[in-house]
Amino acid sequence: MKRWALIGFVLLLSQWMRAQTVTFSATGGFYDASFELALQCNAAYQIRYTINGNTPTGASALYEAPLWLDEGLYSKSDIYTVQTACDELFYAPESVQHCITLRAAAFDEAGNRVGPVATQSYFIRSLGCDTHGLAVMAISVDSLALFDYDTGILVPGKYFDPSESYWTGNFYQSGSEWERLINVEFYEPSDNSGINQQAGLRTHGGTSRRQTQKGMKIYARDEYGKKRFKHHFFESIPNESFKHLVIKPFSYQWFNYGIQDDICNRMAANLDVESIASRPMVLFLNGEYWGIYYLKEKPDAHYLEDHFGNEDTDYNVVSNWYGFQMDGDTTGFLEMMRWVNDCDLTQEEQYARIGEMIDIDNFIDYYCFELFIANNDWPANNMRCYQLNDGIWRWIFFDGDDALTKMNFDVLDNATSTINMGWPTDSRSTLLFRKLLENKEFSKRFLLRFNELLSSQFTYEVTKAYFDDAAALVRGEVPSQCERFGLPLSLGQWEYDITAINRFLRTRVGNMIDRLGDFFTAEDNNTNIELLYPNPVSDELHMILWSDGFAVSDIEMFDLLGRKLHSQKVVLMEGENQVDLSCPYASGIYVLRFENQTQKIVIQ
């Protein structure tokens, strides 16, 4: 009987809450043209609403008749003019785009709120609110939570020190006391599916916090009403439930290309490393346009729980080589690093032991990838690894902002440096890789895998598709991003700038082969042709090349007039190596040159 009484009470409470909740005649999302919107709640109460993202109060506008959704409902707060960065970094345009954000609640005659706040945001294309095919996120929050001098999380504020401007300011504060209650909406451009719920907001990232366009992250919690964000945000993964999400700005300190990290995430997804799903979107903050952002997974214990099962408390997550604890217990990682410092991995039994501590194949793919993309903000920064309970450690790739541009960056020197610069490298961050390279078996596995990737996943044919897709997704929205933040300077400048990424990808395989050759090839290494067949040849020539050790060599083809017809680099491992060479030439006699050897071949 008590059970049925409790159920009845819950039903009555639910009905009462619905009666106190304001409903909208149309949900938020994308619309082609303006229309009339009606609000409704229990007739015993008044409806009061705001248009600037703030929580309605008894003094807010009184709803008396349906609202026509047009420019008259745009926020007048102009929060884009609030200084959210130090003088040299802050940028405010003359005006910004708007969406229509309505927040409404029921009030009694005394002006007391009696129900929850309902929020809906409308993106009307005929009013110029067009995100050019990108999804949209709308965050609504009391302005003081963002911009108050003492407690606002987006301003320099109380904690800003002009003498140490790089890492100070309210936006660099962290922890639960710097989390702010928001309402977050997300809408797909095709069907307005998405989410609309309360959540927590914090700032996120390193250098991006001090920019006008800041990194942020959102948290779903029970106390906010829903403990998960439930929507299929990312096409690349099946997951439809997320605890935390990162909102990464398009413009940041390193470059104004915006797309490097997205390209890197796409590349990493095909390797034996954990990688992060991401997608571009447009953000509106309290009804004002806030530019292009990337919605991303947050690489923490909840991410691991979502992808691999077990409880989030079963995972230990480390966020730097000094064992900084992100989740769980990092004691085991610190013990491993102390052992690595003192061990001799040239000894077979000690190398076998490190293979019981880390997933070597995963580690190799992680290093091949970081080296290939020439990540200049690594390895002393942006390292993350994890283990399940007391299992082996695996690595996660999650940040490629400062990648895909520096062709002349000596990545192998950076990854093996013993100079304690602190950033981007130091002896602690290179210790494990340096120690592993002392072992011949590891070096061979590393080089074999790198060579395999250079001829498959890292080829320009593959990576150009990622570049083209990443650029195409945001191209239509870049002009609005430029107007809002002055970064990039213009669409034309952005189009020119991103050619550096394309050029990097086009030439990177050959460049990386050269760097591997310079780093690994011994000066006294000998290479020679062991076998050449068939001869005469019709379409393809096969060669067995011998090398004393790892080597990078050139094979060249000439006609009898000495004109070079073909040249290619070959990566050789110790012992026999089979290399195939296409011969699409007219019948005749040709000269093949390999190192200091020449040999005539007949094409028929």
Side-chain angles (χ1 to χ4, degrees):
M1 193 67 182
K2 288 182 179 180
R3 178 170 176 262
W4 291 112
L6 178 61
I7 292 174
F9 173 76
V10 171
L11 290 173
L12 287 172
L13 179 61
S14 176
Q15 292 173 359
W16 181 85
M17 287 295 294
R18 282 198 298 271
Q20 319 314 310
T21 300
V22 175
T23 59
F24 292 66
S25 59
T27 59
F30 292 94
Y31 292 88
D32 289 331
S34 298
F35 60 93
E36 191 174 77
L37 180 77
L39 310 183
Q40 188 175 13
C41 75
N42 189 313
Y45 302 113
Q46 301 174 337
I47 298 175
R48 293 190 177 271
Y49 68 93
T50 63
I51 60 174
N52 64 355
N54 285 341
T55 301
T57 69
S60 298
L62 178 65
Y63 174 80
E64 297 177 297
L67 303 171
W68 184 256
L69 299 186
D70 62 12
E71 294 96 330
L73 292 177
Y74 285 168
S75 171
K76 309 301 190 297
S77 294
D78 293 340
I79 59 174
Y80 69 91
T81 63
V82 178
Q83 185 160 344
T84 54
C86 58
D87 292 341
E88 62 267 25
L89 294 175
F90 179 63
Y91 179 85
E94 293 183 1
S95 62
V96 296
Q97 296 182 46
H98 288 78
C99 69
I100 297 170
T101 292
L102 293 169
R103 308 195 76 189
F107 290 81
D108 61 22
E109 291 184 356
N112 300 308
R113 182 157 64 89
V114 296
V117 177
T119 306
Q120 299 287 348
S121 295
Y122 303 90
F123 309 87
I124 299 177
R125 296 185 178 96
S126 65
L127 300 180
C129 191
D130 186 355
T131 61
H132 303 94
L134 296 182
V136 69
M137 177 177 285
I139 290 177
S140 303
V141 52
D142 288 330
S143 293
L144 289 178
L146 303 180
F147 307 121
D148 179 75
Y149 178 82
D150 291 325
T151 60
I153 64 173
L154 296 189
V155 293
K158 178 180 179 180
Y159 292 91
F160 181 69
D161 182 353
S163 66
E164 297 182 17
S165 63
Y166 206 85
W167 297 108
T168 65
N170 289 14
F171 35 67
Y172 274 114
Q173 304 308 301
S174 60
S176 58
E177 66 271 27
W178 289 92
E179 183 172 313
R180 300 293 178 258
L181 175 63
I182 65 169
N183 191 87
V184 58
E185 302 165 74
F186 182 91
Y187 298 107
E188 298 286 357
S190 57
D191 59 3
N192 286 335
S193 62
I195 61 171
N196 188 339
Q197 65 191 78
Q198 291 192 130
L201 177 74
R202 301 185 191 183
T203 55
H204 175 75
T207 58
S208 70
R209 296 189 192 214
R210 62 196 299 264
Q211 309 296 315
T212 307
Q213 188 181 26
K214 300 187 186 306
M216 294 175 276
K217 53 193 171 186
I218 54 176
Y219 295 80
R221 302 191 190 281
D222 274 331
E223 57 265 37
Y224 298 143
K226 294 181 180 179
K227 62 181 180 179
R228 286 270 171 170
F229 301 113
K230 292 189 175 181
H231 179 64
H232 188 208
F233 292 103
F234 309 105
E235 291 184 0
S236 60
I237 59 174
N239 304 56
E240 296 182 353
S241 177
F242 303 86
K243 185 70 175 173
H244 305 151
L245 290 168
V246 170
I247 310 170
K248 190 180 187 70
F250 186 81
S251 64
Y252 42 83
Q253 182 167 346
W254 300 121
F255 302 98
N256 296 311
Y257 310 154
I259 59 176
Q260 299 104 298
D261 185 52
D262 191 34
I263 296 170
C264 289
N265 290 328
R266 294 163 186 261
M267 293 174 63
N270 295 309
L271 306 178
D272 183 18
V273 295
E274 274 58 272
S275 60
I276 304 303
S278 68
R279 65 180 294 187
M281 65 173 192
V282 171
L283 177 66
F284 282 78
L285 185 58
N286 283 355
E288 297 185 14
Y289 181 82
W290 226 255
I292 303 171
Y293 276 78
Y294 283 92
L295 185 68
K296 299 180 59 178
E297 294 180 281
K298 187 173 184 289
D300 58 11
H302 291 291
Y303 158 88
L304 297 168
E305 175 188 15
D306 294 342
H307 283 267
F308 306 115
N310 300 93
E311 298 294 325
D312 63 289
T313 52
D314 293 330
Y315 291 96
N316 302 316
V317 185
V318 173
S319 63
N320 67 19
W321 293 100
Y322 290 86
F324 183 83
Q325 176 183 347
M326 184 173 185
D327 292 300
D329 182 7
T330 62
T331 303
F333 181 82
L334 291 171
E335 291 176 350
M336 179 184 73
M337 292 303 293
R338 282 193 291 268
W339 178 81
V340 168
N341 186 66
D342 298 329
C343 73
D344 179 2
L345 291 184
T346 64
Q347 300 298 313
E348 184 177 342
E349 66 279 5
Q350 297 204 24
Y351 179 67
R353 184 178 175 187
I354 194 64
E356 296 170 354
M357 298 179 183
I358 70 170
D359 185 326
I360 288 181
D361 288 333
N362 161 263
F363 184 83
I364 286 174
D365 269 28
Y366 174 72
Y367 262 74
C368 288
F369 184 61
E370 292 279 15
L371 293 168
F372 179 82
I373 65 174
N375 192 343
N376 191 51
D377 197 14
W378 175 88
N381 193 29
N382 292 326
M383 185 283 275
R384 194 154 301 174
C385 63
Y386 75 94
Q387 65 175 178
L388 174 61
N389 296 317
D390 295 323
I392 60 175
W393 291 94
R394 284 180 58 89
W395 272 258
I396 307 172
F397 173 79
F398 70 98
D399 193 323
D401 284 345
D402 196 8
L404 303 181
T405 56
K406 293 183 173 62
M407 186 67 73
N408 295 323
F409 180 37
D410 194 337
V411 291
L412 285 158
D413 180 69
N414 185 65
T416 57
S417 174
T418 57
I419 300 175
N420 288 318
M421 294 183 289
W423 180 91
T425 186
D426 59 30
S427 59
R428 177 74 174 189
S429 65
T430 65
L431 175 64
L432 181 55
F433 187 51
R434 284 187 288 111
K435 285 279 192 172
L436 284 165
L437 287 177
E438 293 174 0
N439 183 278
K440 288 187 176 181
E441 179 184 342
F442 174 84
S443 293
K444 184 176 182 179
R445 285 175 66 177
F446 174 76
L447 290 167
L448 283 169
R449 178 57 173 164
F450 217 141
N451 190 41
E452 178 186 355
L453 291 172
L454 289 170
S455 59
S456 57
Q457 294 298 326
F458 293 166
T459 62
Y460 183 55
E461 180 182 10
V462 173
T463 59
K464 187 178 186 298
Y466 300 137
F467 167 80
D468 289 342
D469 191 42
L473 284 172
V474 299
R475 182 172 281 112
E477 192 61 27
V478 167
S480 297
Q481 166 76 21
C482 299
E483 292 176 13
R484 175 61 184 86
F485 291 104
L487 296 172
L489 294 176
S490 67
L491 175 61
Q493 184 65 49
W494 177 77
E495 294 280 14
Y496 173 79
D497 288 343
I498 65 172
T499 60
I501 302 174
N502 188 36
R503 184 167 57 251
F504 177 96
L505 295 171
R506 187 177 63 248
T507 58
R508 184 56 174 170
V509 169
N511 177 274
M512 194 69 237
I513 289 173
D514 284 341
R515 294 201 173 276
L516 290 169
D518 292 342
F519 188 84
F520 285 99
T521 303
E523 292 184 3
D524 58 352
N525 189 51
N526 293 313
T527 58
N528 61 280
I529 298 175
E530 287 284 299
L531 181 63
L532 195 68
Y533 65 97
N535 193 6
V537 60
S538 55
D539 298 314
E540 193 170 57
L541 179 67
H542 307 288
M543 293 167 278
I544 299 297
L545 308 179
W546 177 267
S547 177
D548 287 343
F550 177 82
V552 175
S553 299
D554 292 305
I555 293 179
E556 298 172 312
M557 182 83 75
F558 299 85
D559 63 18
L560 290 181
L561 296 177
R563 294 175 297 191
K564 185 187 294 186
L565 304 177
H566 178 76
S567 176
Q568 74 179 60
K569 291 185 180 297
V570 292
V571 178
L572 305 178
M573 301 298 166
E574 182 179 354
E576 283 189 358
N577 298 265
Q578 179 168 327
V579 176
D580 301 322
L581 181 65
S582 177
C583 297
Y585 308 114
S587 299
I589 299 174
Y590 296 84
V591 177
L592 181 74
R593 183 163 68 193
F594 173 70
E595 293 295 330
N596 59 353
Q597 305 169 63
T598 59
Q599 193 162 341
K600 289 184 179 180
I601 62 171
V602 177
I603 296 179
Q604 61 182 12

